[in-house]
Amino acid sequence: MILNELWPLGPNITGYPGGFPNGFLQRMKKRGFLQEPILHVCSGSIKQGTTLDLEITTKPTICADAEQLPFDSETFQSVVIDPPYSKEKALELYAKSLLNVPKAIKEAERVVKAGGFVSVLDLRVWQLGFICKRLQWYALIAIYTANRGPKPLRALQVFRKQESLP
């Protein structure tokens, strides 16, 4: 199933730079993309499920690198990745280089259970054929945030992990 939708959502109300648009997680849950147990990678101010971020200031469950997740394989039903959207934002928010999203997706593929979802909210759309063998496209949703001033249109890419390969 491939969905192509536009989700007009409200502005970020968390006060955290780069936070999800208002109503984003509710839409994710309604569509079935968020199922427990959930891992939020680059979690910022999220307080739901297991949260992982580079900075302890956001009080994540685990402070670690998203390119080498410290979890056993097939631990989570859903993994949500929301990286900084540019080199400048990564430096501004974390004083670190931009996340290698293909590596983070490959790690998400490892820690998500068969039948589970890996979701990536980013400005870029990722071609996974050369990255992951068991993730298949499930949905591509444009996220428009009603906000003051111009905001970029973001892409929510949702992938579903297939059963074990023979």
Side-chain angles (χ1 to χ4, degrees):
M1 170 161 111
I2 299 288
L3 303 172
N4 289 299
E5 300 179 358
L6 173 66
W7 289 0
L9 299 171
N12 167 18
I13 58 173
T14 66
Y16 182 77
F20 290 133
N22 192 20
F24 176 75
L25 291 176
Q26 293 85 347
R27 284 269 183 114
M28 292 275 293
K29 190 168 189 163
K30 183 178 178 182
R31 277 285 183 206
F33 305 148
L34 286 182
Q35 300 173 5
E36 298 286 344
I38 301 167
L39 171 62
H40 287 278
V41 176
C42 304
S43 61
S45 62
I46 297 296
K47 300 299 178 218
Q48 167 192 29
T50 300
T51 57
L52 181 136
D53 214 324
L54 286 174
E55 292 295 320
I56 199 69
T57 55
T58 60
K59 298 183 179 148
T61 309
I62 296 182
C63 192
D65 184 350
E67 297 172 22
Q68 296 179 354
L69 296 174
F71 304 106
D72 292 335
S73 296
E74 304 215 351
T75 299
F76 299 95
Q77 192 63 35
S78 299
V79 178
V80 180
I81 304 171
D82 181 29
Y85 302 136
S86 68
K87 291 177 185 178
E88 295 76 25
K89 277 294 178 194
L91 287 172
E92 176 188 326
L93 294 175
Y94 300 109
K96 304 228 187 275
S97 60
L98 187 61
L99 176 69
N100 182 321
V101 176
K103 282 186 180 179
I105 293 171
K106 185 126 182 90
E107 275 294 279
E109 175 191 25
R110 182 182 65 77
V111 302
V112 75
K113 296 176 182 182
F117 294 98
V118 173
S119 302
V120 182
L121 182 63
D122 203 349
L123 296 176
R124 301 158 288 184
V125 175
W126 296 96
Q127 299 293 330
L128 292 187
F130 66 95
I131 301 171
C132 301
K133 296 185 182 348
R134 293 176 57 196
L135 292 183
Q136 291 189 337
W137 276 101
Y138 194 79
L140 177 60
I141 300 165
I143 305 294
Y144 170 76
T145 305
N147 217 343
R148 288 186 216 110
K151 293 289 180 191
L153 194 65
R154 290 175 275 180
L156 171 64
Q157 301 148 88
V158 182
F159 307 95
R160 191 159 207 182
K161 186 172 181 179
Q162 302 304 300
E163 300 298 324
S164 296
L165 296 173

